[in-house]
Amino acid sequence: MTDDKFRDPQGGGSLILAWQATNKTVLIVGGGAVAAGRAFNALEADARVVIAAPDINDELQYRVDKGQVSWRPRKFEDADLDGADMVLTAISDAEESRRIVNACRNLRIPVNAADINDLCDFWFMSTHRDHSVQIAVSTNSKAPRLANRIRRQVAAALPRGTGLAVEQIGRLRKRIREADPKPENSKRRMTWLMQLCDYWPIEQLANLDSDNIDSLLEAYVRNDDPQTVAIALDSTSVGSSSGVPSPVLHGQLVSDTGILAHPLNGKRGKLTLVGAGLGDPELLTVRAHRALLEADVVLADKLIPEPVLDVIKCEIYTARKFPGAATEAQDDLYRRGLEELAKGRNVVRLKQGDSFVYGRGGEEILFFRKHGYEPEVIPGLTSAINGPGLCGIPVTHRGVADQVLVLSGADRNGALPSIPSYLATRTLVVLMSVKRLAQITQLLSQSGHPPDLPIAIVERAGCSDQRTVRGTLETIVDVVERVGHNAPGLIVAGFAVNVLSDMAIQDRYLDPSTLGLHSAE
């Protein structure tokens, strides 16, 4: 008897198994989209696929032409069951499906009838496949769409390189069994591999190469503790860009700087990349605020406003950025980040605005990923869009501006931006550029922008002392020279600059007959 607590109250209980399909024959009855999907799944499992259908769709025809599947261009016949290990019906004729199912059961062939649950010996699940890793979600055919959503969420939570890590452990397991095949040593083999799998981060297991596997095999033969074995990991995946492998010593990965990348024993550090937004702590996202309160240490950019820093209750380490020393400051933050992560601490990397809008956030993701960490990303409000908005400038406005172009005032080599030809309905936002205002306005003029184009300098947006300085392309340089400038600031150019500041201007812009916008001519 089966205890009722294990039963599905709605019926349809199932047992999840992985069926070895390699070189098994899967017969698919039908030639449409469902049949094509079933064929793809079977081929991915290395099965032999036979199609029985008078007509097939383009995808199946392609697979037939490529020799991937066999096609019997006619309706199903009972003789098609000869040699079949599994049968999948994908036809709209329910009665014919039922007849095929009965024929299969007489021959003890497992069968699935698409969209007829009560006829199925098994169901197809929503699956995620990464090399040899397969994750399947079943709702016992009650909510297939929801199963897909659940599967995506589960797959997204997997560590980077999970499938490759499994492949490398499989290679090592095979080598160990070949080197030590005695049945009486089975427990030793299992225990050693279990410890390796339990204590080594998946990202590091994924980066093992043939030399690493040789070293681990030697460590097994010597009966070394897998938690303290020393090997060198390939620098192209986990170590530094210097070409020198990063060794694993006494259970810890050491970077090329000599900093422990993360411990293999004890708590694993966590890194969160947080956008600080515009300067007002009330404009932090709820998630960013929570991350700052839960942090053990915050690595902050130099320009983070004091009110945001006041939210933080833990240690704050500020980047020491000076003119001409940006690279050294960034390396200093990397070093400190790895140090703190090696201690198993919760590290927040706090960047002004949004980390991915001229914030080098992508570079930092790649750096820490190379060292075995996958940072969580919490976006922030970017000054490029929200800065003008806080100062009464909508970067888009119906009838006035239908596109936005965001540029940096200088590239990584200090060169001026490339400004495109004038377009009346474009708002141009130039970040980190006010010190180069005269040069930027000259570039605007050279690219056909009219002298009366409205220009605004948005200063310290989101702070208590935010300010907007307005002028035109022809006058803005003189205006800023008279009133001065409070960094940081950005340049906004376009007819949207004044659309909310003057009713007469609003009437002019919103009346199509008097739009009055300049053309490129």
Side-chain angles (χ1 to χ4, degrees), residues 346-365:
N346 183 2
V347 180
V348 166
R349 176 68 178 95
L350 185 63
K351 301 184 71 64
Q352 182 71 332
D354 183 88
S355 304
F356 288 169
V357 182
Y358 293 111
R360 297 184 68 168
E363 296 177 33
E364 298 198 15
I365 292 285

Side-chain angles (χ1 to χ4, degrees), residues 241-506:
S241 59
S242 64
V244 179
S246 299
V248 174
L249 300 174
H250 306 297
Q252 295 173 311
L253 174 65
V254 182
S255 73
D256 56 299
T257 61
I259 304 302
L260 300 178
H262 45 75
L264 299 185
N265 300 311
K267 182 182 176 183
R268 175 173 168 77
K270 175 187 176 183
L271 178 65
T272 307
L273 191 63
V274 175
L278 298 172
D280 185 344
E282 293 188 358
L283 294 176
L284 288 167
T285 66
V286 173
R287 193 170 172 188
H289 191 273
R290 183 168 61 247
L292 293 176
L293 293 179
E294 294 176 351
D296 294 320
V297 61
V298 173
L299 311 180
D301 281 347
K302 186 178 180 181
L303 292 178
I304 302 295
E306 286 296 328
V308 174
L309 296 178
D310 289 342
V311 173
I312 301 167
K313 306 303 180 185
C314 64
E315 176 189 358
I316 301 173
Y317 185 81
T318 303
R320 296 190 291 271
K321 288 190 177 181
F322 300 99
T327 299
E328 290 79 2
Q330 190 69 27
D331 290 343
D332 182 51
L333 283 171
Y334 286 153
R335 178 193 60 78
R336 183 61 183 268
L338 290 179
E339 285 180 349
E340 299 298 335
L341 289 167
K343 300 173 185 176
R345 305 186 79 186
N346 183 2
V347 180
V348 166
R349 176 68 178 95
L350 185 63
K351 301 184 71 64
Q352 182 71 332
D354 183 88
S355 304
F356 288 169
V357 182
Y358 293 111
R360 297 184 68 168
E363 296 177 33
E364 298 198 15
I365 292 285
L366 293 174
F367 175 86
F368 286 105
R369 178 181 291 169
K370 186 173 68 174
H371 287 77
Y373 293 94
E374 188 63 33
E376 177 187 357
V377 176
I378 300 179
L381 297 180
T382 173
S383 62
I385 305 299
N386 300 287
L390 283 173
C391 297
I393 300 174
V395 292
T396 65
H397 191 92
R398 189 163 59 95
V400 178
D402 58 14
Q403 59 181 264
V404 185
L405 177 61
V406 180
L407 299 174
S408 172
D411 64 16
R412 64 186 303 172
N413 298 315
L416 289 166
S418 176
I419 294 180
S421 299
Y422 170 65
L423 180 65
T425 56
R426 178 193 295 133
T427 300
L428 185 66
V429 180
V430 190
L431 305 177
M432 301 170 287
S433 57
V434 180
K435 289 184 177 180
R436 293 182 162 192
L437 179 60
Q439 295 167 288
I440 297 295
T441 55
Q442 184 177 7
L443 289 176
L444 288 169
S445 297
Q446 292 172 352
S447 58
H449 292 71
D452 64 346
L453 181 73
I455 303 286
I457 307 300
V458 175
E459 300 175 348
R460 300 182 61 78
C463 298
S464 59
D465 58 346
Q466 73 178 29
R467 184 178 71 162
T468 306
V469 179
R470 298 174 189 266
T472 65
L473 179 58
E474 187 174 40
T475 66
I476 191 64
V477 172
D478 291 337
V479 171
V480 171
E481 286 181 355
R482 288 200 310 271
V483 303
H485 169 59
N486 297 321
L490 55 86
I491 300 171
V492 186
F495 287 96
V497 164
N498 293 331
V499 77
L500 299 185
S501 63
D502 188 296
M503 287 301 299
I505 294 176
Q506 294 175 42

Side-chain angles (χ1 to χ4, degrees), residues 122-144:
F122 58 90
W123 295 290
F124 282 89
M125 292 178 283
S126 180
T127 60
H128 167 79
R129 182 187 292 265
D130 180 6
H131 292 79
S132 293
V133 173
Q134 294 185 72
I135 296 175
V137 176
S138 172
T139 59
N140 282 350
S141 201
K142 293 176 182 177

Side-chain angles (χ1 to χ4, degrees), residues 91-322:
I91 55 178
S92 57
D93 187 338
E95 289 304 315
E96 177 65 1
S97 285
R98 189 174 298 275
R99 189 186 74 79
I100 295 172
V101 167
N102 290 334
C104 289
R105 287 179 176 160
N106 288 336
L107 296 173
R108 296 183 177 276
I109 301 173
V111 60
N112 172 278
D115 292 330
I116 312 178
N117 295 345
D118 61 318
L119 296 183
C120 296
D121 292 327
F122 58 90
W123 295 290
F124 282 89
M125 292 178 283
S126 180
T127 60
H128 167 79
R129 182 187 292 265
D130 180 6
H131 292 79
S132 293
V133 173
Q134 294 185 72
I135 296 175
V137 176
S138 172
T139 59
N140 282 350
S141 201
K142 293 176 182 177
R145 188 72 177 181
L146 187 56
N148 289 336
R149 180 178 172 184
I150 295 169
R151 181 258 305 163
R152 289 194 298 270
Q153 292 181 347
V154 172
L158 292 176
R160 178 180 172 84
T162 296
L164 190 55
V166 170
E167 294 297 319
Q168 307 299 37
I169 287 295
R171 292 172 58 195
L172 176 60
R173 183 168 179 252
K174 181 180 178 182
R175 293 286 304 280
I176 288 176
R177 292 193 66 173
E178 291 172 349
D180 185 15
K182 296 179 180 179
E184 58 268 29
N185 289 339
S186 174
K187 184 176 180 180
R188 177 182 172 237
R189 292 194 302 268
M190 291 176 60
T191 300
W192 200 88
L193 284 169
M194 284 171 56
Q195 290 180 343
L196 188 72
C197 292
D198 287 346
Y199 288 101
W200 280 49
I202 285 178
E203 294 90 345
Q204 290 186 14
L205 293 174
N207 290 330
L208 295 175
D209 59 20
S210 296
D211 291 338
N212 301 149
I213 290 176
D214 288 342
S215 297
L216 287 171
L217 176 60
E218 293 170 2
Y220 168 81
V221 172
R222 294 192 304 265
N223 203 26
D224 291 347
D225 185 345
Q227 298 181 51
T228 60
V229 66
I231 66 168
L233 292 178
D234 183 358
S235 63
T236 62
S237 300
V238 175
S240 71
S241 59
S242 64
V244 179
S246 299
V248 174
L249 300 174
H250 306 297
Q252 295 173 311
L253 174 65
V254 182
S255 73
D256 56 299
T257 61
I259 304 302
L260 300 178
H262 45 75
L264 299 185
N265 300 311
K267 182 182 176 183
R268 175 173 168 77
K270 175 187 176 183
L271 178 65
T272 307
L273 191 63
V274 175
L278 298 172
D280 185 344
E282 293 188 358
L283 294 176
L284 288 167
T285 66
V286 173
R287 193 170 172 188
H289 191 273
R290 183 168 61 247
L292 293 176
L293 293 179
E294 294 176 351
D296 294 320
V297 61
V298 173
L299 311 180
D301 281 347
K302 186 178 180 181
L303 292 178
I304 302 295
E306 286 296 328
V308 174
L309 296 178
D310 289 342
V311 173
I312 301 167
K313 306 303 180 185
C314 64
E315 176 189 358
I316 301 173
Y317 185 81
T318 303
R320 296 190 291 271
K321 288 190 177 181
F322 300 99

